[in-house]
Amino acid sequence: MQLELSDKILVRDLVEICAHKGIKHVVISSGSRNAPLIISFNRHPNFICHTAVDERCAAFFALGLAQQLKQPVAICCTSGSAALNYSPGIVEAYYQKIPLLVLTADRPPEWIDQMDGQTIRQSKIYSNYIKGSFDFPVDVKTEDDRWYAQRMVNEAIEMTQYPEAGPVHINLPFREPLYGVRNYVEEEPPKIYSTTKTKLELPENEIRILKEAWGSFDKILVITGLLHPNEELNAALNQLSEQGNVSILTETTSNVFGLKFNRSIDRLIAGIEGEEEVFRPNLLVTLGGAVVSKKVKAYLRHYQPHEHWHINASNDNVDTYQSLTKIIPLAPEKILPFLKGDKKSAYRDLWLKKDHTLQKIYNKFLERIPFCDLKAFEIIFDFIPSKSHLQLANSTVVRYSNLFDQPTLKQFECFSNRGTSGIDGTLSTAVGAAKAFPDKMITLITGDLSFFYDSNALWISPLPNNLRIICINNGGGSIFRIINGPSEIDELESYFESKHELNAKNIAKTFNVRYYACHSKEELNINLEKVYSKENNQIALIEVFTDNELNPSVLKRYFEELKSKK
């Protein structure tokens, strides 16, 4: 195949190796120093190139793509602060284990710290939050230089996926001229190698030991954290829930669904106040990533189980509840089917009965509250079709989602950037997820600060028409009126909550996004109908306005009611 690519042979090799290894999506941020990469990726038929001017948005956009496609996505930027702006998205990808190939153009090493434009120290710039970091040679002086660069690209791409996924960085110093091209007609293809993917298996003896230990516990509590949809794991957990001595607590972002699972952890922990010892497990089993609920962390750190097993293929040394006794470095779905016992126990039913009682209290409470955040979420979750794909912002949004049963009953696929739990990149990630599956409706639910903070995501062009954005605008960071501490000090509004009177109408107009404002439950229902109608085939934004003082008071009343009426 005759391709007119950058005349820098190492760039040609890099691009060909990326193509051979199946990288399809490249997110490009404009610049000059990365011109060889832009030219080569754009002119190669194997790549879909996206443009995102804001590098912070670009990294999160790529994260959303890779999160859904489950394959590496490349990001490419110019030198200087552009590379630093990738950092939040790279950190999130590192903790979520999302495969990104980070390509940063750079000045030649002799010009570092010489007051040349857009020149900073880029070597190993992401060192704390990257699986691997490589520095490309500037020139090809010998065949070994080219072999070395090819080996580096092979290793970097393999490392994004195995033994576990994550971001990998290649820093590429380029000398001018930058815009030259040539046809590689007779050039030998670059050297390619691949890694054979292996799977861990537990020895029979270890399985026997675990089964014997499992059978000795009459109060086993399983808590699922951040997980991507996994049918095999879901089936294993449903099978596990048939055991009377096993109670399963899940969250929205766990993406597991079962009739004998307990959905709202915060509701349950608030509802067992005064009975904590009765519900205390003697074995705790944790699966997946981070758990949102602060209540369950506080509960289990105080009422510690006798044993705590953490099951995760990543072999993470995670002791969230300060009671860790065993790490099982295996995918949970590979070990859970072996954990069977016939221990007579009412532990599962104890939790389910409590959950059922608290759900009835919750339903009655929702019937009599005015329009507020809590009521808005009820209406939204009731309306969104079953098996929908949701992207959830951090702070109040992901916490409110965990108070409802609809995400489980309607089997929503829910994703949230809970690796670092920041508000940055929420909208960009959702745009990326929508780009990954253009025939699938994607809904983002976000708070106002998260939306405004990441509004440059709407600059990514072309925007996906299958994205629906629901922004809860309560005039600031509502989380700081809910948690203890900030809500009681003078600096609340200015420095913690960042109170404002902004709205998204003109932002939507700027980026040609259909806009709908809601101030009541009637308006919200009407506009949800419009936005999700089959006739509406354009990206849309619903902005829901609620009272920032009413919202926390309603939520506090709810938890007080749980405690008083349980």
Side-chain angles (χ1 to χ4, degrees):
M1 183 188 298
Q2 293 188 25
L3 292 174
E4 195 174 63
L5 307 176
S6 168
D7 60 4
K8 297 185 183 299
I9 185 67
L10 297 187
V11 172
R12 177 266 188 181
D13 288 348
L14 179 148
V15 169
E16 288 290 0
I17 294 170
C18 286
H20 185 88
K21 287 183 171 293
I23 292 180
K24 297 186 183 303
H25 293 268
V26 183
V27 182
I28 295 170
S29 294
S30 56
S32 181
R33 191 59 51 166
N34 57 336
L37 292 164
I38 294 174
I39 292 167
S40 301
F41 278 121
N42 185 60
R43 296 187 181 191
H44 199 291
N46 285 42
F47 300 103
I48 301 169
C49 292
H50 311 268
T51 58
V53 176
D54 185 327
E55 287 87 7
R56 185 172 63 185
C57 294
F60 279 105
F61 171 72
L63 184 150
L65 275 169
Q67 176 195 78
Q68 297 305 311
L69 297 172
K70 296 180 176 57
Q71 58 186 232
V73 171
I75 54 178
C76 162
C77 73
T78 191
S79 63
S81 60
L84 286 170
N85 287 328
Y86 275 162
S87 299
I90 290 171
V91 173
E92 183 64 34
Y94 179 77
Y95 283 109
Q96 270 198 58
K97 306 185 191 311
I98 302 288
L100 295 182
L101 181 66
V102 184
L103 305 174
T104 58
D106 197 1
R107 258 58 175 178
E110 65 267 20
W111 285 105
I112 305 301
D113 293 333
Q114 299 306 304
M115 297 186 181
D116 199 29
Q118 287 184 239
T119 306
I120 64 173
R121 300 169 192 168
Q122 287 183 206
S123 179
K124 297 179 174 56
I125 198 171
Y126 314 113
S127 58
N128 283 332
Y129 309 108
I130 209 87
K131 287 190 64 192
S133 191
F134 301 87
D135 290 291
F136 238 44
V138 183
D139 300 309
V140 179
K141 296 176 181 177
T142 69
E143 278 302 305
D144 279 357
D145 290 331
R146 193 173 170 197
W147 163 79
Y148 172 52
Q150 292 175 8
R151 195 191 79 204
M152 189 186 300
V153 178
N154 275 280
E155 184 178 351
I157 297 173
E158 294 295 302
M159 198 180 290
T160 64
Q161 304 163 82
Y162 189 81
E164 61 181 3
V168 178
H169 175 217
I170 303 178
N171 192 52
L172 301 106
F174 295 134
R175 287 200 177 95
E176 296 182 13
L178 303 169
Y179 293 88
V181 296
R182 62 171 277 204
N183 281 312
Y184 293 89
V185 180
E186 299 179 0
E187 195 70 50
E188 283 290 318
K191 179 181 175 64
I192 306 289
Y193 74 78
S194 61
T195 305
T196 298
K197 308 299 188 290
T198 60
K199 291 184 178 181
L200 289 172
E201 297 289 343
L202 271 184
E204 287 293 329
N205 185 54
E206 288 295 329
I207 293 174
R208 180 183 58 78
I209 292 170
L210 288 173
K211 285 176 68 174
E212 288 178 2
W214 181 271
S216 68
F217 296 108
D218 62 348
K219 297 166 73 174
I220 301 172
L221 184 64
V222 178
I223 298 181
T224 60
L226 181 70
L227 291 162
H228 287 188
N230 182 330
E231 291 184 9
E232 190 179 354
L233 174 59
N234 199 73
L237 284 168
N238 272 277
Q239 183 181 359
L240 205 66
S241 71
E242 295 299 322
Q243 300 180 38
N245 61 334
V246 179
S247 177
I248 299 175
L249 271 61
T250 74
E251 294 195 316
T252 306
T253 53
S254 298
N255 289 301
V256 291
F257 315 107
L259 294 176
K260 294 179 181 177
F261 298 174
N262 299 280
R263 262 283 305 126
S264 179
I265 295 179
D266 277 358
R267 185 173 68 205
L268 275 164
I269 301 304
I272 65 172
E273 188 173 299
E275 306 172 83
E276 291 91 346
E277 194 61 50
V278 177
F279 288 84
R280 181 179 187 172
N282 42 39
L283 171 63
L284 172 67
V285 178
T286 53
L287 318 175
V291 169
V292 175
S293 173
K294 292 183 71 174
K295 285 182 169 60
V296 79
K297 293 172 191 173
Y299 168 61
L300 288 170
R301 286 169 190 169
H302 185 76
Y303 295 91
Q304 292 189 352
H306 180 67
E307 287 197 33
H308 172 197
W309 300 355
H310 182 60
I311 307 175
N312 197 328
S314 300
N315 195 23
D316 294 333
N317 283 273
V318 175
D319 193 9
T320 305
Y321 306 99
Q322 300 180 309
S323 56
L324 186 66
T325 56
K326 189 182 294 292
I327 295 172
I328 305 175
L330 196 67
E333 62 271 20
K334 302 301 181 186
I335 181 62
L336 293 181
F338 292 106
L339 301 180
K340 299 175 182 177
D342 54 3
K343 195 86 170 177
K344 299 299 181 184
S345 171
Y347 190 62
R348 177 198 62 198
D349 295 337
L350 177 72
W351 282 96
L352 290 174
K353 183 179 178 181
K354 175 64 71 173
D355 199 15
H356 181 67
T357 300
L358 296 173
Q359 179 63 48
K360 288 195 291 185
I361 295 171
Y362 191 36
N363 291 341
K364 290 179 181 178
F365 183 80
L366 284 170
E367 289 174 3
R368 62 179 190 271
I369 60 174
F371 189 67
C372 60
D373 281 356
L374 195 62
K375 176 59 74 173
F377 273 95
E378 180 193 27
I379 295 168
I380 292 165
F381 286 142
D382 279 344
F383 189 89
I384 293 175
S386 295
K387 299 188 177 180
S388 286
H389 176 122
L390 270 61
Q391 293 279 333
L392 301 171
N394 276 302
S395 293
T396 55
V397 169
V398 73
R399 286 173 171 81
Y400 271 116
S401 76
N402 278 323
L403 296 178
F404 292 87
D405 284 344
Q406 289 97 320
T408 290
L409 297 177
K410 301 176 79 171
Q411 296 190 17
F412 295 154
E413 289 187 357
C414 295
F415 299 85
S416 183
N417 286 341
R418 293 300 298 175
T420 58
S421 307
I423 67 167
D424 46 350
T426 297
L427 181 53
S428 299
T429 303
V431 173
K435 281 280 193 179
F437 295 114
D439 297 327
K440 190 176 187 178
M441 183 72 76
I442 308 294
T443 298
L444 165 67
I445 307 177
T446 178
D448 46 4
L449 294 190
S450 295
F451 175 83
F452 294 129
Y453 194 83
D454 195 33
S455 58
N456 265 358
L458 298 176
W459 199 359
I460 297 171
S461 181
L463 284 171
N465 286 321
N466 58 320
L467 178 61
R468 301 295 178 265
I469 304 163
I470 302 174
C471 176
I472 311 295
N473 189 337
N474 45 37
S478 182
I479 186 70
F480 295 106
R481 288 183 177 267
I482 296 171
I483 61 177
N484 294 328
S487 59
E488 299 156 7
I489 61 176
D490 294 340
E491 290 83 359
L492 169 65
E493 291 188 358
S494 297
Y495 296 101
F496 290 92
E497 186 182 33
S498 298
K499 189 174 181 180
H500 65 83
E501 296 181 4
L502 301 174
N503 67 69
K505 183 176 181 179
N506 287 327
I507 292 177
K509 184 178 180 181
T510 298
F511 296 107
N512 195 30
V513 174
R514 289 189 183 183
Y515 174 81
Y516 305 85
C518 307
H519 297 84
S520 66
K521 60 183 181 181
E522 291 78 17
E523 286 183 337
L524 181 54
N525 276 305
I526 290 170
N527 288 322
L528 284 168
E529 286 279 359
K530 292 177 181 177
V531 163
Y532 286 93
S533 69
K534 293 181 180 179
E535 292 74 29
N536 192 342
N537 60 355
Q538 182 183 339
I539 182 172
L541 165 63
I542 292 179
E543 188 168 21
V544 184
F545 295 91
T546 62
D547 188 319
N548 70 332
E549 293 187 4
L550 175 64
N551 292 321
S553 68
V554 169
L555 196 60
K556 287 176 181 177
R557 282 205 330 263
Y558 163 61
F559 282 111
E560 288 169 1
E561 195 148 329
L562 286 182
K563 295 174 185 178
S564 64
K565 294 186 177 181
K566 62 182 185 291

